[in-house]
Amino acid sequence: QLTGRWYSIGLASNSNWFKEKKHLMKMCTTVISATADGNLEVTSTYPKGDQCEKRNSLYTKTEQPGRFSYTSPRWGSKHDIRVVETNYEEYALVATQISKSTGSSTMVLLYSRTKELSPDRLERFTQFSREQGLTDEEILILPRTGERLEGQG
């Protein structure tokens, strides 16, 4: 089960907003709960300047296990969400294909139960993102909220 609290550790995307905002992005938490009919309720918190912005989404399950769909009421974009791999208690790798009238984009998210994840998992995330056609510029390991990266000051 994917339910519970996750930290977004890695984010890769070829969308324009990501290119513009990626230098501001920080690690944030996502809480997933299952509805009675097997859909997923996802509450994500996005760091926005010095505040956190919450967003609720309902991911509707499809015939295929591990695949969900979501339509953004705000942007009218359709999201095809695929849980690529997970061991539930440590990490989850999720790929999303987003299509809207102005074109489509790809997003890959690496979720972790803790704020630390093994280098192997990070490497797998990077590797998988490249397989989806994303470039190294579009792949980001998110810095922790409110912490400076040691040794990089």
Side-chain angles (χ1 to χ4, degrees):
Q1 281 287 1
L2 279 177
T3 53
R5 172 189 291 261
W6 293 94
Y7 293 95
S8 54
I9 295 262
L11 175 59
S13 172
N14 54 7
S15 69
N16 290 331
W17 66 261
F18 179 73
K19 291 186 183 89
E20 289 160 21
K21 301 271 191 291
K22 81 173 194 184
H23 63 287
L24 299 169
M25 290 186 179
K26 297 263 193 321
M27 187 187 294
C28 40
T29 53
T30 293
V31 176
I32 300 177
S33 54
T35 62
D37 44 12
N39 297 328
L40 295 181
E41 234 162 50
V42 183
T43 306
S44 304
T45 314
Y46 298 87
K48 237 192 159 182
D50 55 358
Q51 298 173 325
C52 283
E53 183 181 284
K54 266 193 157 89
R55 199 170 299 167
N56 285 315
S57 319
L58 183 65
Y59 290 5
T60 314
K61 67 173 185 180
T62 65
E63 271 86 87
Q64 285 173 291
R67 281 191 101 113
F68 297 88
S69 67
Y70 165 69
T71 302
S72 162
R74 191 171 166 195
W75 308 110
S77 50
K78 276 188 73 71
H79 299 228
D80 172 20
I81 300 141
R82 183 163 56 99
V83 180
V84 180
E85 58 187 51
T86 180
N87 60 5
Y88 300 113
E89 65 269 356
E90 184 202 0
Y91 81 108
L93 188 58
V94 177
T96 304
Q97 199 58 43
I98 302 163
S99 44
K100 47 184 184 189
S101 51
T102 52
S104 64
S105 62
T106 302
M107 185 165 83
V108 180
L109 269 163
L110 177 64
Y111 288 118
S112 170
R113 290 292 190 190
T114 59
K115 292 185 179 185
E116 295 283 322
L117 205 50
S118 72
D120 299 0
R121 299 288 185 220
L122 298 176
E123 184 49 46
R124 172 73 182 109
F125 160 73
T126 303
Q127 202 48 50
F128 177 79
S129 299
R130 286 184 187 135
E131 287 164 18
Q132 305 309 298
L134 297 167
T135 66
D136 287 357
E137 260 103 78
E138 295 167 335
I139 301 171
L140 182 64
I141 303 295
L142 295 161
R144 294 201 211 172
T145 320
E147 289 182 40
R148 284 202 10 256
L149 292 175
E150 291 306 313
Q152 292 192 4

